Every structure is written in structure tokens, then in C-alpha cells.
Amino acid sequence: MSGSAPKPDAPALSGVLPPVPTTFRPEDGGFAEAPFVDNLERWMEHPLAGVLVLGSNGEAPLLTDDECDAVVIAARRAVPRERILLVGTGRQSTAATIGATRRAFEAGADAALVVTPSYFRDRMTPEALRHHYEAVAGEAPGPILLYHVPAFTAVNLAVPTALELASHPRIAGIKDSSGDVTRMERLTAGAPPGFAVLTGNASVLYPSLALGAAGAILAAACVAPATCCDLWRAVGDGDHARARALQARLTPLARAVTSRHGVAGLKALLEHLGWHGGPVRPPLRELSPAERADLAETWSRFEAGEEAP
Amino acid sequence: MSGSAPKPDAPALSGVLPPVPTTFRPEDGGFAEAPFVDNLERWMEHPLAGVLVLGSNGEAPLLTDDECDAVVIAARRAVPRERILLVGTGRQSTAATIGATRRAFEAGADAALVVTPSYFRDRMTPEALRHHYEAVAGEAPGPILLYHVPAFTAVNLAVPTALELASHPRIAGIKDSSGDVTRMERLTAGAPPGFAVLTGNASVLYPSLALGAAGAILAAACVAPATCCDLWRAVGDGDHARARALQARLTPLARAVTSRHGVAGLKALLEHLGWHGGPVRPPLRELSPAERADLAETWSRFEAGEEAP
Amino acid sequence: MSGSAPKPDAPALSGVLPPVPTTFRPEDGGFAEAPFVDNLERWMEHPLAGVLVLGSNGEAPLLTDDECDAVVIAARRAVPRERILLVGTGRQSTAATIGATRRAFEAGADAALVVTPSYFRDRMTPEALRHHYEAVAGEAPGPILLYHVPAFTAVNLAVPTALELASHPRIAGIKDSSGDVTRMERLTAGAPPGFAVLTGNASVLYPSLALGAAGAILAAACVAPATCCDLWRAVGDGDHARARALQARLTPLARAVTSRHGVAGLKALLEHLGWHGGPVRPPLRELSPAERADLAETWSRFEAGEEAP
Amino acid sequence: MSGSAPKPDAPALSGVLPPVPTTFRPEDGGFAEAPFVDNLERWMEHPLAGVLVLGSNGEAPLLTDDECDAVVIAARRAVPRERILLVGTGRQSTAATIGATRRAFEAGADAALVVTPSYFRDRMTPEALRHHYEAVAGEAPGPILLYHVPAFTAVNLAVPTALELASHPRIAGIKDSSGDVTRMERLTAGAPPGFAVLTGNASVLYPSLALGAAGAILAAACVAPATCCDLWRAVGDGDHARARALQARLTPLARAVTSRHGVAGLKALLEHLGWHGGPVRPPLRELSPAERADLAETWSRFEAGEEAP
């Protein structure tokens, strides 16, 4: 991990983090700790900055609060102190978000990722979002990150609002999963030192880093951690030709495990690669055989790809 | 209440229901039971078919499960057995929805209103929604209603999917809050006998009823129960001129307590009228003075309105 | 034709008009006058209020100005004076719209239908649209109608703007093809006497008329003029049960010749019924055999339909 | 100008082009040739690759065909042969687009920019767009470029369709104004050698060039040609730090002359800078005094900007 000077009470946040899936027992659908820890240990063999648990890819909205605690405790055992354990803690109500954030820090989180509330989305005005995040940050025992992901929430966290919040001492960064690079440009250009701008879209990893993003939280990093870390390092080294070549290789894979096949696709590909995947929770559905074949083919092409010109 | 022959194990569902707000204590934000019951008793003085609790206007996504239980128990005390106590029980996961549905029936619900899951909205395919609702219906102790409200969920429950589900013995109807009258037309034309099509938009109450909708669940019915019931009866009586005149009077009011001012507006207007309103839960925000003035003016115009030509 | 008192210089506009396709010669794609007139004469056997030429279904944006003149002149020969010849004259620039409107009246139009400009759609503010329509109305030799069709234009003509324009002596009505019945309600409730509110969606014909719309311009009226006219009359006669039954029969047909298959579908179905259809102009494409089969099946069901309960 | 090997019959297309406004006479709104040529001569003092006339910023949809001819002839006189004169020739019909393309080449165009047809946008399937562009390319006397600008057209030219068309010998490139950098990545990664990928959004100029875009057509290049050319060269020189700094300076200006104030803003800013602007054509509207003040302030900040770290 490296990067610009961190905020006083925030760990420097830069580099690549995988948003790790929560593994479930096939027999009863409960949280399966052993394969979860096993996966984490394998990710820790790569130069990842840390991991995100209880994000969208962790199926967090489908877990109970007790399950969330268990996931964080298990993760903390597997993630060494020098890596970041980032935990998703957003809820619909401000009070529940504060509660979930406190529990996450008690269970070992280094930082919390707080998605915008979304049910009353036409009421999520800049003012409402600002008050929500200030209230959560004010009660959080450690640093929090804003999380803008309109594909899931249909809510817009406007750039000026995010930049206003960026000066709060407990708000350490933002994960922006809009895929909108003009937002990355405006966020990196306008953010104060130590505020980490992270992209959540592997399809725009290179341009985001080139524009000054500190890092990324990427489903693709679950299945291709080496390539994602290589790309991050290439930009740091000023090797733009290599970064661009890695991006061209990464994009088709990234699209397959996000927009095309979602969490079920990510789990299916992990299994295909010999990691632990397992079932998704309903209402999510398992992939069809045709979708699995598409994933396998996408992976074959990725593996066969030349990395640099 | 009246209407077409009900499903074997479902109460006939027709007429108007208000989606009642959950009242909170100003001092600590907890559920305030006394004003909640007081409001309910006043609604019961009108010929409403029943009430919906724990809907969007009940701020259900902002309540804990224990608070939900308390709301249903309190409502059951105030709502006589011959009226319908409809309870919102949708959650993001299928399992949690089943759990909430069971708890609602145990606490006294007559029927459950199940909103489409929404967080993983790009995965909410017709097949995923069909499996979700079949699983919930299969475990529900009583009748459930589908709930399509894209303004909140950004999820589409396609008409053919809804009509497929309509033949399930435990799926007794649908609340459609899209405001899309072509959907009302296709739902009423295609639904089997005893399947209740309800609109959730007071702005299209008359055309929906004219097309055969059995009833409506309307925020406007919280503040103008008499007018909403009158309109419902006018269509039943074939008095279309009166229904149309009532609609013209109702529409501006309906827009004020939904799209323009939301739940906070509904509560503010209830207070303005001498009922119990009280605070909303963050991240929702109270109205500004200008917004309150707009509401008051809208109400004045409504009150001054002539009801029939 | 009947309806409320017309504006001083406007013909009363009520009833049903088909938006007639422009027929082209298969050999060279030029305007084919004979089949066009032949079709018009057949429509005139029905109690239609008149016809619309050079609308979207007339492929107007794909015609030259000279072809537009020829179409209007041909139409005027076939449409008797006591029926309305409505002509689409909207262009991107205000000046070109004025020019096309003048030419249409010179060629025999009774009224002009002016679609919102759309290319610079993010600049089509209420103020810009108001100035545009006032400029066109100020120069028009006869009455004009506003035309709101977001499916084609992606432009919103807000209800308050339309109602402001409704008081202009030369603006005689609006064709609203949004399919949004709340707009129909607000337009009919707010429009001055003599301002004709027409729906452009057969799927909401009955609810629109029930709310007070004066009439309709419907692709479905090209292939099912008798049914559309019957429905219009049923509402006028207060026979809502019959209107609702006719609506249920009409909706599937209406969807087939609009959203599902477009202009090419309308022409293909006319041919299937023994009228003149012929080719569409590129970039529009002819239907595939599977699409033709779908149309034929939709028609069979329509023909087999029972009209009243 | 430089870049990868051009197609056999196409000029190499790389570098920056301004999409130049069409100047109108204040007295009668007609095309004002002298100020138009005067502006062009000033742009030619910069190392721009050429110019685009009759694009969206040229108000092309508001001009007559004769005016279009006059604009191209005037531009050819001012633009030396070694620079590219690119001319917008898209129309709604395929036949009219072919006609306009031929006229443009006869009047001196080096290449034609063909926007997607948009009126029948729900029919603009990949197949329809492919046939349209193949027909135009087949009849064009010189190279054409695809033009994807959903902000104006609300039409999507899918990346796979664009890449299929890229192998056509007369289709020399694409201007993509979606602002979606994932599209730039996929287009540059998938295009054959000699196919020029150009961005139409100055807000993503640096990331687009970093990903391999050959150049850009930018409203911002009308008012800040030096900065745009510098940024293009910086990327060519591998000076990413400088490119990023220039981007940060350029973005606020770019947003002001596109999404915030449109063509009227571009013309107003040109006038503010001592170039020729003049009126826009209705239905476009002139800026308000407040909007002009906002533009002037944006320009002051741009001018005061430091260009490099």
C-alpha cells in the first residue's frame, strides 16, 4: 500500500481490493466460514491492498445482521493487520447504518463502505445524502467511504456533494461504480489530499488510475487478482502502454462477472478456477449451463491473452 | 366491501385502503403507538376497505423487525375483523420475506403486500421474480399481493409475469403503483376471477376503476378518505360524470402527497388537518416552510373544490 | 363530428382519425398516389372525423418537401370538406416549421399537427417550446395542434406549458402520444373550452375518452376503424361496459401496430387485410416472416374477439 | 497530423478538430459567410487537424440544403487542402443522407460525418443501422465517419455494430460523443488499423487518447484550440502528467460550452473572446444575462489556470 498522505485517523487507502463473495452452505444456505476463509487466504497471496466484505458481491442485502457479524469476524482472522479490511455497512435508515457501522468496527473492520440509501430514492437529494453521511461519519468509530453505485441503487450522489463530504475528517474516500470517467476526473481533480477515489469498474481501471484514482474495488480482482494488481502497478510506474494492454485483456472478463452474469457469475467462475463459489441466495438465481459455458469461454480467452505489446 | 368472487382462501379485496404512516416519538424517534392507533380509529369512521401498514408510506424500510411486529399488533387492535389489515412484508432476500410474512400473519395480518426485491435489480428477471413470489406464496399462512412500484424499486414486474402468478391460489392480487394505465388495462383484462387489481396512484384512480380495477391503496386516502371512497362508489354506481369530477379535484392533492412531497408531506398534511403526523426517519427529511405552505395551499384548493358538475 | 364549442377560427375537433401511411412505389420508392387515394376512400366509408397525413406513420421525416405537397394535394382530393384533413408539419427549425405549415394549408389542410422539435432536445425547455409554438401559431393560416410524442422525440412538452399554449387562438388542441393517462387527466381538466385533447395511444383510448378527451389519432384506426369509432361512440353514449370490452379487444392489436412492429407492421397488416401497404423507406426495415406471422395471428384473435360482455 | 496507417482511400484522421458554429446575420438570420470564414482562418493558425462543419454545433438540423452547400463551399476556401474538411451529412432517410453526402463531397468535403437517424429511434436496431451505413458508404464519393451522439439522438449505435462497420473500406472512423469511456476502450481495442476512433467529449479527452483514440472533435476546441492541441500532443509525447493537468483545466470549460449552455453558449463565448458568434436559430434560444455571466466566469477561471504541475 502506498499513496498520498492519509487523513489523520484514516489508513492510507490505495491499491486493489476484491469485493469478496460470501460463501453459503449448499445444504442449508447458511454462511459457510471455512471456504470463505480459504478463499481469503488465497487472495492474501497477491499484493492486494486488502479486501471488501459485505459489499454487493458479498450479497450483503441478503444477509441478517448476525451473519454480517460472523462474516467480519471470519474475515479479520484471515486478513492480516497490514491489509485493509473494508466492510459494507450501508442500510436504508441512517440509524441502522450507524448501528451496522459500529458493529463492523467492533468485529474488526478497518474502514466501512457506506452505500447510498436507495428505497426512497426520489428523496435522496444532495441535502439528504449530506446529512446521512455526516450523521454516519459522526458516529463511526473509524473511517468511512462513500459508495456510489447507481446500477444497484438508482440514486445519484452528485460530484459536488461527494466533494463537500470529502473534507469531513472521518470520510476517507469514495468508491464510484458508475463507470462514468468524467466523474472520476472531477472527483480526483477536486478531492482534498488523502481522500481516496476508488473506481468500482474494472472496465475503466486504467483511465481511472491515469486520472489519479488511488485504487479500485473490482469483482474482476476476485478472479484475476494478479492482472488487476499488475495494471495498478503499471500506472504507478508510468508504463502506460502496458497498462493499456492489460486493460484490453481485462475488460471482457470484467464485463462477464458484472453486467453480464453478476454475483452468480462471479461465484461460478471462482468454482471453475478451483476456488470456492457455491450457491447464491434467492431471489438471485444460479447460472444456466449456457451462461456457464459463456463464462468458461471468456476465461479461456483471458488466459490466452498476451499481456503486453 | 364487495367485488367479484374471492379465491378460496382469500378475503374479497376491493375498495379503498390508505397506506398509513408509522408515527414516531419526537423525543427519541421510536414507534409511537397511541397516535398511530388514534389515526387508525379515525380512518375506521370512513367506509374504507381496510388499511395497509408497513408500506412505503409506513417507512417500512426504515423500521426494525421488532418495530414491524409492534406496528402490526397495534393496527390489529384498531382495525376491526371485518376490515382488511394488509401488511407490507417485502424484503431483499426471499428467506427474509418469508420470515416477515409469517410474522405479519402471526401478529394479525389478513394479507401481505410483497414488494419486488430491488437491490439486485438487473437480476430481477421475470424468472427470478416468479420464483421469488412462488416461494413466498408457498410459505405464506394467508393471501399475498404482488407490489409493483418502480418509482421506489426501479424494477419492472412485467404484466405477463404478474398474470402468470395470478393463478397461484395464495396470490390474491396486485398493487400496481406505476401509474401506467395500459398496465391496469392489461392486468384487469387478463386476470382470473377473484384476483384483485389495485392501483397505487390516486392520479389514475377513476380510469383504473373504469377499466375494472377492484380498488386502490392511496396516500391521498389518508388525508381525503371520503373523497376517495366517494369516487370508488361513483364508478360502482355507473356515475362516471361524478367520478370524473372527483378525479379532477383529487389529482392535485394526490400529486402533492406523493411525487412532490413524499412521506414527509403526507405526515405534514395530516398534522395540518389535526391528525397525528410527526417526524420522519432519516435519511428522509422534514419539509421546508415553503413546502409546508405549498401543501397548505394545495389543501385549501382541494377543500374549496366543487365535487360534481 | 361533435364536441364542445370550437374556437372562433377552428373546426370542432373530435372523433377518431387514422394517421395514414404514405404509400410508395415498389419499383423506385417514390410516392404512389393511386393506392394512397384508394386507401383514403375506403377509410372515408367509416364515421371517422377525418385523417392525419404526414404524421409519424406517414413516414414524414423521410419525405422531401415536394413529396409532402403531393401527399397533401392527393389527400385533399379524397377527403371531403366535411371531414378534417390534418397535416403533420413539424420540422427541427421554427422557420422551416412555419414554411411547411403554410405549404400544407395552401395544399388544402384544415389544420396542422406540429411535433416538438427534438434534435436539440436538452434545449427544448418550456420557454423554448412556448416560443416555438407561439411563432408557428402566429404565422399559421389556420389552426394548429401541439404534438407530444416522447417515444419518437425524447422531448417532454410539460402539461403546464401545453395548457399555457392552449389559450392561443390558433392553437386548437393537442395530440398526446405519451400513453400517460395522468397527462390526459390534467390536460382535459385544465384546458379551456374548445381546446381538443386527443390521445395518440389506442391502448388508453377508453380511459382517455372517459376523462374527457375529445378524440384520438390512432394507428389502430387504420386497420380497425369501425372498432375505434364504436368505442368513441360508446363513451359518448355512456355505455362504459361496452367501451371497456372494446378496449380489451383493441389493446393487443394496437400494441402490434405500434410498439411491437411500427410503421412497417402497420403497412404489412394493411396488405394482409387487402388494403394497400407497400414498402417502408430506409432506414426503416420490412418485417421478417416471423413478425408477419405474429401480426397475422394478432389479427385473427382480434377478429375472433367478442365485442361486448 | 499523424497516426496509424490510413485506409487505402481515406486520409489519415488524427488530431483535434473544432465543430465550428454556423454564423448567421443578425438582421435576417441568413448564413453570414464573412464572419464564418474569418473564424476559420483564425482556427487555422492553430495546429488543428482540420474542422467539422455542419455538425450539431453548426446547427445543421436547422439549415436548408442550399445553406449547407454554401457553408461547405465557404469552408473549403478557408481550410487548406492539407487540413481535413469534415462535413456533417446525416439525415433521417437513407436516401437523403446519400444525397447530402454527395453534395458535400462535390462542394469540397474531405470526409463526411454521418449521425445515426433518430426519429424512428425504436426501430434503429443494429441491423437497421448497419444497412443504413452500408448504403451510405456504398454511395459516398469519399470516406465517411460514424457518429454516435445519444444526447441528441437517443439512439444507441452498439459497439459490436460499429466494429462490424469498421471493416468497410469507405468507413474511416467514428466520432463517439457518449462520454462513455468503456466504449472508447472497446472501440480502440477492437477497431482495425486505420479506423479512427474520435471522442466528441472534451471531458474525457485525456483518458480517450490514453486508451488509443486517434483524436477528438470538441466544442471546447473552438474556444481553447491551443489547450486541446497541447493535450493531444502531450499524450503523443507520453507526458501523462501534463495531459492530466491540462484535462483538469479543460473539463470545467468543456462542460460550460456543451451540457450547460449548448450551442448558444459556444457562440456567446466566442463573442466574449473577440471571435464571431452571433445569434442561434430558433427554436434554440439566446443565453440569459445570468448564463452569460456564468460563461465569463468559467472562462476567467480557465485563463487563470496553471497548465502543468
Side-chain angles (χ1 to χ4, degrees):
Chain A
M1 282 205 314
S2 70
S4 48
K7 295 199 175 194
D9 58 353
L13 193 58
S14 74
V16 176
L17 297 90
V20 311
T22 307
T23 43
F24 300 117
R25 288 187 297 266
E27 59 276 21
D28 67 358
F31 171 48
E33 187 177 332
F36 180 73
V37 168
D38 203 35
N39 276 349
L40 284 170
E41 287 170 353
R42 290 176 72 169
W43 280 309
M44 289 302 98
E45 294 166 13
H46 292 274
L48 295 158
V51 298
L52 166 67
V53 299
L54 300 179
S56 305
N57 280 294
E59 295 171 69
L62 310 181
L63 302 189
T64 65
D65 285 349
D66 288 344
E67 287 176 321
C68 288
D69 289 347
V71 164
V72 180
I73 290 167
R76 187 70 278 177
R77 280 203 292 263
V79 176
R81 279 284 157 196
E82 67 273 17
R83 310 265 193 133
I84 292 175
L85 176 56
L86 180 62
V87 178
T89 62
R91 298 289 187 276
Q92 292 299 332
S93 87
T94 304
T97 303
I98 290 170
T101 302
R102 283 189 180 140
R103 288 172 75 153
F105 278 100
E106 279 162 26
D110 293 315
L113 180 68
V114 181
V115 70
T116 54
S118 56
Y119 191 78
F120 295 102
R121 60 190 166 102
D122 58 340
R123 303 295 148 195
M124 292 303 100
T125 58
E127 199 194 0
L129 291 170
R130 193 164 54 75
H131 277 86
H132 175 73
Y133 279 115
E134 286 174 351
V136 175
E139 300 287 332
I144 70 165
L145 278 77
L146 314 174
Y147 182 17
H148 175 247
V149 58
F152 288 129
T153 62
V155 164
N156 184 42
L157 175 60
V159 169
T161 308
L163 290 177
E164 239 184 298
L165 290 166
S167 61
H168 191 290
R170 281 284 161 89
I171 301 181
I174 184 170
K175 176 186 179 189
D176 188 304
S177 295
S178 65
D180 180 348
V181 172
T182 65
R183 284 181 59 97
M184 298 307 294
E185 199 278 323
R186 293 162 68 207
L187 287 168
T188 54
F195 183 81
V197 178
L198 309 176
T199 179
N201 288 70
S203 299
V204 293
L205 178 56
Y206 164 50
S208 297
L209 296 172
L211 284 164
I217 302 175
L218 307 168
C222 293
V223 289
T227 302
C228 293
C229 290
D230 281 0
L231 202 164
W232 182 80
R233 206 178 314 114
V235 178
D237 294 346
D239 190 348
H240 285 260
R242 178 165 166 77
R244 189 178 143 197
L246 287 165
Q247 180 68 64
R249 205 185 149 208
L250 191 59
T251 296
L253 178 66
R255 290 164 58 85
V257 292
T258 54
S259 56
R260 204 149 80 247
H261 300 305
V263 183
L266 180 57
K267 286 188 163 178
L269 186 51
L270 282 169
E271 287 210 340
H272 181 72
L273 301 178
W275 295 52
H276 301 285
V280 290
R281 275 207 175 157
L284 294 179
R285 308 271 306 152
E286 304 301 335
L287 295 200
S288 67
E291 291 170 321
R292 285 176 191 272
D294 172 72
L295 259 187
E297 194 193 317
T298 303
W299 180 259
S300 293
R301 287 190 191 164
F302 172 76
E303 266 207 313
E306 295 293 318
E307 285 200 12
Chain B
M1 282 206 315
S2 69
S4 48
K7 295 198 174 196
D9 57 355
L13 193 56
S14 74
V16 176
L17 298 88
V20 311
T22 307
T23 43
F24 300 117
R25 289 187 297 265
E27 58 275 22
D28 66 357
F31 170 50
E33 188 176 332
F36 180 73
V37 167
D38 204 34
N39 276 348
L40 285 170
E41 286 169 355
R42 290 175 71 171
W43 280 310
M44 290 302 98
E45 294 165 13
H46 292 274
L48 295 159
V51 299
L52 167 67
V53 299
L54 300 179
S56 304
N57 280 294
E59 296 172 68
L62 309 180
L63 303 189
T64 65
D65 284 349
D66 287 344
E67 287 176 320
C68 289
D69 289 347
V71 165
V72 180
I73 290 166
R76 187 71 278 176
R77 280 202 292 262
V79 177
R81 280 284 156 196
E82 68 274 15
R83 310 262 194 136
I84 291 175
L85 175 56
L86 180 62
V87 179
T89 62
R91 298 290 186 278
Q92 292 298 333
S93 87
T94 304
T97 304
I98 290 170
T101 302
R102 283 191 180 137
R103 287 172 75 152
F105 279 99
E106 278 162 27
D110 292 316
L113 180 68
V114 181
V115 70
T116 54
S118 57
Y119 190 78
F120 296 101
R121 60 189 164 102
D122 59 339
R123 305 293 147 196
M124 292 303 99
T125 59
E127 199 194 0
L129 290 171
R130 193 164 53 75
H131 277 86
H132 175 73
Y133 279 114
E134 285 174 351
V136 176
E139 300 288 332
I144 70 166
L145 277 78
L146 313 175
Y147 182 17
H148 176 247
V149 59
F152 289 128
T153 62
V155 164
N156 183 42
L157 175 59
V159 168
T161 308
L163 291 178
E164 238 183 300
L165 289 165
S167 62
H168 190 290
R170 281 283 162 89
I171 301 182
I174 184 170
K175 176 185 179 190
D176 189 304
S177 296
S178 65
D180 180 348
V181 172
T182 65
R183 284 181 60 97
M184 297 307 293
E185 199 279 324
R186 294 162 68 207
L187 287 168
T188 53
F195 183 82
V197 178
L198 309 176
T199 180
N201 289 69
S203 299
V204 293
L205 178 56
Y206 164 50
S208 298
L209 296 173
L211 283 164
I217 302 174
L218 307 170
C222 293
V223 287
T227 303
C228 293
C229 290
D230 281 0
L231 202 165
W232 183 80
R233 205 178 316 111
V235 178
D237 294 346
D239 189 348
H240 285 261
R242 177 164 166 76
R244 190 178 141 196
L246 288 165
Q247 179 69 64
R249 203 182 151 212
L250 191 59
T251 296
L253 179 66
R255 290 165 59 86
V257 293
T258 55
S259 57
R260 202 148 82 247
H261 300 304
V263 182
L266 180 57
K267 285 187 163 178
L269 185 51
L270 282 169
E271 287 210 340
H272 181 72
L273 302 178
W275 296 52
H276 302 284
V280 289
R281 278 209 172 155
L284 293 179
R285 309 269 306 151
E286 303 301 335
L287 294 200
S288 68
E291 291 170 322
R292 285 177 190 271
D294 172 72
L295 258 186
E297 193 194 317
T298 303
W299 180 259
S300 294
R301 287 190 190 163
F302 172 76
E303 266 206 314
E306 295 291 318
E307 284 200 12
Chain C
M1 280 207 312
S2 70
S4 48
K7 296 199 175 195
D9 58 353
L13 193 57
S14 73
V16 176
L17 297 88
V20 311
T22 307
T23 43
F24 300 118
R25 289 186 297 264
E27 58 276 21
D28 66 357
F31 170 49
E33 187 177 332
F36 180 74
V37 168
D38 204 36
N39 277 348
L40 285 170
E41 287 169 352
R42 291 176 71 171
W43 280 308
M44 290 301 98
E45 294 166 13
H46 293 272
L48 295 159
V51 299
L52 166 67
V53 300
L54 301 178
S56 305
N57 280 294
E59 295 171 69
L62 309 181
L63 303 188
T64 66
D65 284 350
D66 288 344
E67 288 176 322
C68 288
D69 289 347
V71 165
V72 180
I73 290 167
R76 186 71 278 177
R77 280 203 292 264
V79 176
R81 279 284 157 196
E82 68 273 16
R83 310 263 193 133
I84 291 175
L85 176 55
L86 180 62
V87 178
T89 63
R91 298 289 187 277
Q92 292 298 333
S93 87
T94 303
T97 304
I98 290 169
T101 302
R102 282 188 180 138
R103 287 172 76 154
F105 278 99
E106 278 162 28
D110 292 314
L113 180 68
V114 182
V115 71
T116 54
S118 56
Y119 191 78
F120 296 101
R121 59 189 166 102
D122 58 340
R123 303 294 147 196
M124 291 303 101
T125 58
E127 198 194 0
L129 291 170
R130 192 164 53 76
H131 276 87
H132 176 73
Y133 279 114
E134 285 175 351
V136 175
E139 300 287 333
I144 70 166
L145 278 77
L146 314 174
Y147 182 16
H148 176 246
V149 59
F152 289 128
T153 62
V155 164
N156 183 43
L157 175 60
V159 169
T161 309
L163 290 178
E164 237 183 301
L165 289 165
S167 61
H168 191 290
R170 280 285 161 87
I171 301 182
I174 184 170
K175 176 185 178 189
D176 188 303
S177 296
S178 64
D180 180 348
V181 172
T182 64
R183 282 180 61 97
M184 298 307 293
E185 199 279 324
R186 293 162 68 207
L187 287 168
T188 54
F195 183 81
V197 178
L198 309 175
T199 179
N201 289 69
S203 299
V204 293
L205 178 55
Y206 164 50
S208 298
L209 296 172
L211 283 163
I217 302 175
L218 308 169
C222 293
V223 288
T227 303
C228 293
C229 291
D230 280 0
L231 202 164
W232 183 80
R233 206 179 313 112
V235 177
D237 294 346
D239 190 348
H240 285 259
R242 177 164 167 76
R244 188 178 143 198
L246 287 165
Q247 180 68 64
R249 202 181 151 210
L250 191 59
T251 296
L253 179 66
R255 291 165 58 87
V257 293
T258 55
S259 57
R260 202 148 81 243
H261 301 304
V263 183
L266 180 58
K267 286 187 162 178
L269 184 52
L270 283 169
E271 287 211 338
H272 181 73
L273 302 178
W275 296 52
H276 302 285
V280 289
R281 275 206 175 158
L284 294 180
R285 310 268 308 152
E286 304 301 336
L287 295 200
S288 68
E291 291 170 321
R292 285 177 190 271
D294 172 72
L295 259 186
E297 194 194 317
T298 302
W299 180 259
S300 293
R301 286 189 192 166
F302 172 76
E303 266 206 314
E306 296 293 319
E307 285 197 14
Chain D
M1 283 205 316
S2 68
S4 49
K7 295 199 174 194
D9 58 355
L13 193 56
S14 73
V16 176
L17 297 89
V20 311
T22 306
T23 44
F24 300 117
R25 289 186 297 265
E27 59 275 21
D28 66 357
F31 170 49
E33 187 177 333
F36 180 73
V37 167
D38 204 35
N39 276 349
L40 285 170
E41 286 169 354
R42 290 175 72 170
W43 280 309
M44 289 303 98
E45 294 165 13
H46 292 275
L48 295 159
V51 298
L52 166 67
V53 299
L54 301 179
S56 305
N57 280 294
E59 296 173 66
L62 309 181
L63 303 187
T64 66
D65 285 348
D66 288 344
E67 288 175 321
C68 288
D69 289 348
V71 165
V72 180
I73 290 166
R76 186 72 276 176
R77 280 203 292 264
V79 176
R81 278 286 157 195
E82 67 274 15
R83 310 261 194 135
I84 291 174
L85 176 56
L86 180 62
V87 179
T89 62
R91 297 289 187 277
Q92 292 297 333
S93 88
T94 303
T97 304
I98 290 170
T101 302
R102 282 189 179 137
R103 288 172 74 154
F105 278 101
E106 279 162 26
D110 292 316
L113 180 68
V114 182
V115 71
T116 54
S118 57
Y119 190 79
F120 296 101
R121 59 189 166 102
D122 58 339
R123 304 295 147 195
M124 292 302 100
T125 58
E127 199 194 0
L129 291 170
R130 194 164 53 76
H131 277 86
H132 176 73
Y133 279 115
E134 285 174 351
V136 175
E139 300 288 332
I144 70 166
L145 278 77
L146 314 174
Y147 183 17
H148 176 246
V149 58
F152 289 128
T153 62
V155 164
N156 183 43
L157 175 59
V159 169
T161 308
L163 291 177
E164 237 183 301
L165 289 164
S167 61
H168 191 290
R170 281 285 162 88
I171 301 181
I174 184 170
K175 176 185 179 190
D176 188 303
S177 296
S178 64
D180 180 348
V181 172
T182 64
R183 283 181 61 97
M184 298 307 291
E185 200 279 324
R186 294 162 67 206
L187 288 168
T188 54
F195 183 82
V197 178
L198 308 176
T199 180
N201 290 69
S203 300
V204 294
L205 178 55
Y206 164 50
S208 297
L209 296 172
L211 284 164
I217 302 174
L218 307 169
C222 293
V223 287
T227 302
C228 293
C229 290
D230 281 0
L231 201 164
W232 183 79
R233 205 178 315 112
V235 177
D237 294 347
D239 189 349
H240 285 260
R242 178 164 167 76
R244 191 179 140 195
L246 288 164
Q247 180 69 65
R249 203 181 151 212
L250 191 59
T251 296
L253 179 66
R255 290 166 58 86
V257 292
T258 54
S259 57
R260 202 149 81 246
H261 300 303
V263 183
L266 180 58
K267 286 186 163 179
L269 185 52
L270 282 169
E271 287 210 340
H272 181 72
L273 302 179
W275 295 52
H276 302 284
V280 290
R281 277 207 173 157
L284 294 180
R285 308 270 307 152
E286 304 302 335
L287 294 199
S288 67
E291 290 169 323
R292 284 177 191 271
D294 172 72
L295 259 186
E297 193 194 316
T298 302
W299 180 259
S300 293
R301 287 191 190 165
F302 172 76
E303 265 204 315
E306 295 292 318
E307 284 199 11

